[in-house]
Amino acid sequence: MNELTIAVGSQNPAKLGPVQRSLPNVNVVGIDVPSGVSDQPRSEKETRQGAMNRAKAVLDAYPDALIGIGLEGGVVLVEDRLFLTNWGALHTKKGNTYLAAGLRIPLPDEVAKEVIGGDELGPVMDRYTKKQDTRKSEGAVGTFTNGRILRGDMFHQIVEALVGQWEREESLAELHL
């Protein structure tokens, strides 16, 4: 039996989990691939590009996969407030790319100042929460929504939007994903 495999451009559990949750009947493989953008994307464009680059790169790295998925978190300055932003991309062997974006919430000034000053959000959040690897668990969104929306939950909606577009456009419903 030939098992369907989907490749995700990260080994971060907060990114792999949502894909596994959305597609429970397929093999999900996580491979760290470069985003091709800054470690801390600082615009919608850069965050979106990082997701697209990861989706394409992971499909190149794992050519037996049916599709590649890239998920990228970033920040964006809206007027005078720094917001979280996040994007996802699904890339197919046919060369089609599907895009989706998710939740935005403002970062508190004390966190925003450090990120605007050049620090990456992940380490800032670790210092702020006095925890390690918050990007692999609740993330900033979990901290600032009081645990109501975790990072994986945020990415899950994006993955659902990506998979839904892909199924609709490429008529993959018969694969019983």
Side-chain angles (χ1 to χ4, degrees):
M1 183 171 137
N2 195 6
E3 186 175 33
L4 292 176
T5 299
I6 292 176
V8 179
S10 177
Q11 291 185 346
N12 184 330
K15 295 180 179 183
L16 285 174
V19 177
Q20 291 166 330
R21 202 165 121 202
S22 291
L23 298 161
N25 298 320
V26 301
N27 182 38
V28 176
V29 175
I31 301 171
D32 284 324
V33 294
S35 68
V37 299
S38 306
D39 288 341
Q40 179 58 71
R42 295 175 183 277
S43 69
E44 294 288 350
K45 182 178 179 181
E46 188 178 19
T47 308
R48 182 179 61 245
Q49 189 64 54
M52 292 178 0
N53 292 349
R54 286 184 192 276
K56 291 175 183 175
V58 77
L59 196 53
D60 289 341
Y62 200 92
D64 291 338
L66 180 63
I67 58 170
I69 294 178
L71 299 168
E72 192 76 20
V75 295
V76 60
L77 197 58
V78 177
E79 296 173 8
D80 63 344
R81 302 266 334 246
L82 193 65
F83 282 74
L84 290 175
T85 188
N86 43 88
W87 279 85
L90 183 153
H91 190 70
T92 71
K93 289 184 176 194
K94 294 178 186 177
N96 297 331
T97 300
Y98 301 95
L99 296 170
L103 174 76
R104 279 188 181 181
I105 64 166
L107 294 170
D109 289 342
E110 62 197 282
V111 171
K113 284 177 188 172
E114 289 189 53
V115 176
I116 290 169
D119 286 351
E120 192 177 337
L121 182 59
V124 171
M125 289 306 302
D126 288 352
R127 290 191 300 271
Y128 182 86
T129 63
K130 297 177 178 44
K131 297 179 182 176
Q132 285 188 329
D133 289 327
T134 52
R135 71 178 68 189
K136 293 182 179 180
S137 56
E138 70 268 18
V141 70
T143 300
F144 300 126
T145 63
N146 201 35
R148 288 183 174 266
I149 302 171
L150 305 181
R151 192 166 192 230
D153 300 330
M154 179 184 68
F155 280 129
H156 182 248
Q157 284 193 326
I158 292 172
V159 173
E160 286 289 304
L162 294 171
V163 171
Q165 292 175 78
W166 171 57
E167 288 174 334
R168 182 177 182 278
E169 290 295 318
E170 302 200 17
S171 301
L172 292 174
E174 72 263 2
L175 291 177
H176 304 293
L177 301 176

